[in-house]
Amino acid sequence: MLNEVADGVWVRQSTWVWSNTTVVRTGDGLLVVDPGIEGAELDELADDLERLGLPVVAGFCTHPHWDHLLWHPRFGDVPRYATAACARMAGEVRERAQAMAAETATGVPLDVIGLLTPLPADGGPVAGEVVEHDAHAVGHAALLLADRGVLLAGDMLSDVLIPLLDPRRTGQQEAYEASLDLLGKAAEHVDVLIPGHGAVARDQEIAARFAVDRAYLEALRRGEEPADERWGKRR
């Protein structure tokens, strides 16, 4: 079920790797961010949205990994926005994302995976400020809802996942550190942080998320094995 974590901001967590769907009330209706993961969960999410009594006006995808490219026809035939780089990459990996969804999840509508539209310059119906960076995935973006005191962090700042660097791209550690600096400035305006996976952080917990991720990256830079027991730790 949807849980309201701030005024007009709801989160629903999947059983798959603690994945979070975020729903934001805007002036025109609802914005659905990174819906997932199993087909039955997407159907239940559609029920939740209907109970809110507002139309879905748009979707937003934080980055082009398969578990963030999902959608359901019951959400409506509305634009699903992303950064230009994310939308381009989603098109390139769409067939692979469909195959991974078919293999990993159950009952997921495959034909609507990865159909993204580059975000217009004025932001369109997407609420808040888009904070684009280059860590973890091409075109990765967070959403800063400063008026609600909320930061949607995408696949960053999780309490259950380590910082996952993209091994296919060079300079990822530096990009990740720069992204934490960028998100840290955004987080100065919030008291609620929603990661793509894991628990919602509040108040002092937010600073702790940054600290543990920075400690992980600093250990890597020293050539040490990070003392970090979150899922995905290198073996």
Side-chain angles (χ1 to χ4, degrees):
M1 63 179 294
L2 287 171
N3 296 301
E4 192 166 20
V5 299
D7 181 34
V9 181
W10 296 267
V11 174
R12 189 181 199 279
Q13 191 169 87
S14 169
T15 57
W16 190 86
V17 196
W18 310 278
S19 298
N20 291 321
T21 299
T22 304
V23 178
V24 181
R25 185 181 63 233
T26 72
D28 298 318
L30 301 173
L31 173 71
V32 180
V33 182
D34 290 348
I37 294 295
E38 301 285 350
E41 292 174 326
L42 292 172
D43 213 37
E44 291 168 2
L45 174 60
D47 292 338
D48 290 340
L49 296 174
E50 288 180 0
R51 280 190 284 271
L52 290 179
L54 295 169
V56 175
V57 295
F60 186 78
C61 173
T62 59
H63 63 286
H65 289 164
W66 77 266
D67 53 315
H68 295 261
L69 295 174
L70 306 177
W71 196 251
H72 195 288
R74 287 182 60 196
F75 303 161
D77 184 16
V78 298
R80 295 152 59 192
Y81 293 107
T83 65
C86 176
R88 182 183 67 252
M89 181 59 68
E92 294 176 4
V93 304
R94 185 166 181 257
E95 289 187 3
R96 182 168 178 265
Q98 288 173 318
M100 293 182 71
E103 178 182 353
T104 307
T106 302
V108 172
L110 300 179
D111 58 328
V112 293
I113 288 176
L115 301 178
L116 303 182
T117 298
L119 190 69
D122 64 0
V126 174
E129 175 187 350
V130 175
V131 183
E132 184 174 359
H133 58 81
D134 198 38
H136 181 67
V138 173
H140 201 170
L143 278 182
L144 172 61
L145 308 174
D147 61 332
R148 326 281 180 96
V150 177
L151 178 65
L152 281 65
D155 273 7
M156 306 277 288
L157 301 165
S158 171
D159 65 327
V160 294
L161 300 180
I162 60 168
L164 297 172
L165 311 184
D166 186 343
R168 296 161 295 186
R169 294 187 293 153
T170 61
Q172 267 293 284
Q173 183 161 332
E174 292 77 11
Y176 213 105
E177 291 168 345
S179 299
L180 287 178
D181 290 341
L182 194 63
L183 294 178
K185 292 179 181 179
E188 294 174 358
H189 305 282
V190 309
D191 47 26
V192 176
L193 181 142
I194 305 171
H197 302 266
V200 173
R202 297 179 182 274
D203 303 320
Q204 290 84 2
E205 295 172 345
I206 298 174
R209 296 283 177 91
F210 281 93
V212 71
D213 276 3
R214 291 189 187 281
Y216 183 94
L217 296 172
E218 289 168 3
L220 290 183
R221 188 170 292 283
R222 295 192 301 267
E224 301 174 359
E225 179 68 22
D228 193 317
E229 296 304 318
R230 289 177 291 177
W231 189 86
K233 182 180 178 182
R234 298 177 306 162
R235 299 300 181 187

